[in-house]
Amino acid sequence: PPDPLAANGAGLIHGQSLFFLSTTGNLHVQTDLVNDIINTAVLDGVTGAPVPGGTITGSVNDITAVTGNIVAGGTGEFAILNNDYRQLAGGGAIGGEAIVSVGANSISTGTAFQPLVNNRNGSIGGNATVSVAVTNDITVGTDTFFTLDNDGGAIGGYALGTLSARNSTSANSFNFVIVNDAGIIGGD
């Protein structure tokens, strides 16, 4: 079935797009935990021609609030994907803010942990924020990719990444980056 929060492939959502995942207990999955809002360019299923990303006229919020622990046997991804997937026909357009927020007692993944806003060749009218707040530890089986990617994109406000945890451990690498190659960030 189609993703109810996907406006990819020139789709249109008038107003806000909110994905709010909340539990007062724990959130456990045996494989990958993917909590994404997708607004990317795609290939047309019939002609194979590139189709530009979608448009969301308001703000986009991908919020995960877990009182207990988040445990994923594979990857843990929390993302707004407003990008030009595979360099196709231009990324998506978000008229307001793009906010990814993850909060939990602890986070543990078997492979990668990836909170991100991907705005490669896209546009965000307001601020782009990725925020992770964990009371205790973040333990990642392979790599942490904490990213705000604005390669070739435009962000009208600021680009902000925040991470708060008692300890953060990644088995391989820890990447905390804002990528702005050939992009424009208009805020402070």
Side-chain angles (χ1 to χ4, degrees):
D3 185 339
L5 289 178
N8 54 315
L12 174 63
I13 296 175
H14 282 289
Q16 312 297 316
S17 180
L18 171 64
F19 193 83
F20 184 67
L21 174 62
S22 175
T23 179
T24 57
N26 298 315
L27 176 59
H28 287 250
V29 295
Q30 290 184 347
T31 58
D32 296 336
L33 172 60
V34 179
N35 184 1
D36 292 347
I37 296 176
I38 303 168
N39 196 42
T40 62
V42 296
L43 290 175
D44 183 280
V46 175
T47 67
V51 178
T55 300
I56 300 172
T57 61
S59 292
V60 177
N61 297 280
D62 187 352
I63 299 169
T64 303
V66 176
T67 304
N69 305 317
I70 296 174
V71 179
T75 297
E77 178 176 286
F78 306 86
I80 295 173
L81 304 174
N82 193 51
N83 56 310
D84 182 2
Y85 181 66
R86 291 189 261 165
Q87 308 300 313
L88 293 172
I94 296 172
E97 315 260 330
I99 299 170
V100 173
S101 176
V102 181
N105 180 57
S106 70
I107 297 174
S108 176
T109 65
T111 58
F113 175 52
Q114 186 165 293
L116 76 124
V117 171
N118 187 339
N119 191 48
R120 181 177 294 248
N121 294 323
S123 66
I124 298 170
N127 303 317
T129 305
V130 178
S131 177
V132 176
V134 174
T135 305
N136 286 300
D137 298 340
I138 300 172
T139 306
V140 179
T142 58
D143 303 289
T144 298
F145 301 103
F146 193 109
T147 309
L148 264 158
D149 185 352
N150 191 49
D151 185 8
I155 298 173
Y158 58 78
L160 175 66
T162 64
L163 172 64
S164 172
R166 185 178 68 182
N167 297 296
S168 183
T169 305
S170 293
N172 292 338
S173 66
F174 181 87
N175 304 282
F176 191 93
V177 297
I178 295 175
V179 178
N180 194 40
D181 294 339
I184 298 168
I185 298 175
D188 295 328

